[in-house]
Amino acid sequence: MYKLEEWQLSVISRIIHITMRKRLLELGSGASTKLFDDLLMQGIVDDTTSIEHNIYYAPATDRATITICPLSSDGFYNLKNFYATATGKKAYDFILIDGPPDHSGESSRKYAIPRLRPWLSRDAIGIVDDMHREGNREQYMLWEASNLVRTIHEYSRDFSRKKMTLFKIL
């Protein structure tokens, strides 16, 4: 199973601490879900929701909400279950895009920002993982060209092929 590496979790945690994010939304669950659950337990964040397509990948958590949203025909999550739980809640100020998985379709992540934008605050920031993959880079560039996001910083490590991008929602 693919997962975020320790250096990535450390960067994500520092960003959340420094920018004082309180409501976290995550696409794809795993090691980051456990990190977010710990931040929730420590009172650093107020709410965290993970959207996952398969309960098999969802880790056990104490307080984090995991919403199972099967993949739709376009390869992105069917967000019906998320909409039911998110309606009426405060907007999320941080989004981690680490799903849907590659096998769901080369362009599946392109829907993340357009479809979830109504649930993100005006000052929301986010991270998109797997920027070393050509398809993810291309999709991200489409968001930038459409003025949906602006890059703040790109992260990578010499010892790791993985890359991720910190962005601001526009």
Side-chain angles (χ1 to χ4, degrees), residues 134-160:
E134 185 177 341
N136 289 347
R137 281 193 314 276
E138 289 172 1
Q139 291 165 44
Y140 182 83
M141 290 180 351
L142 289 174
W143 296 341
E144 280 190 316
S146 301
N147 291 316
L148 295 173
V149 301
R150 183 181 68 237
T151 299
I152 297 172
H153 191 76
E154 294 179 346
Y155 297 90
S156 64
R157 294 294 181 267
D158 291 338
F159 57 83
S160 171

Side-chain angles (χ1 to χ4, degrees), residues 48-121:
T48 178
T49 300
S50 178
I51 296 174
E52 178 55 62
H53 77 287
N54 188 331
I55 198 162
Y56 169 78
Y57 297 113
T61 62
D62 291 313
R63 296 184 59 199
T65 301
I66 298 176
T67 303
I68 302 300
C69 295
L71 298 177
S72 62
S73 60
D74 62 12
F76 193 67
Y77 301 102
N78 177 338
L79 295 172
K80 181 179 169 184
N81 293 339
F82 170 73
Y83 295 154
T85 60
T87 300
K89 284 186 171 184
K90 290 171 79 176
Y92 295 94
D93 58 7
F94 181 86
I95 183 169
L96 172 61
I97 301 170
D98 192 22
D102 269 357
H103 64 74
S104 64
E106 185 66 24
S107 62
S108 59
R109 290 186 186 184
K110 74 179 176 184
Y111 302 110
I113 299 302
R115 291 189 185 166
L116 292 168
R117 180 66 186 97
W119 283 269
L120 300 173
S121 67

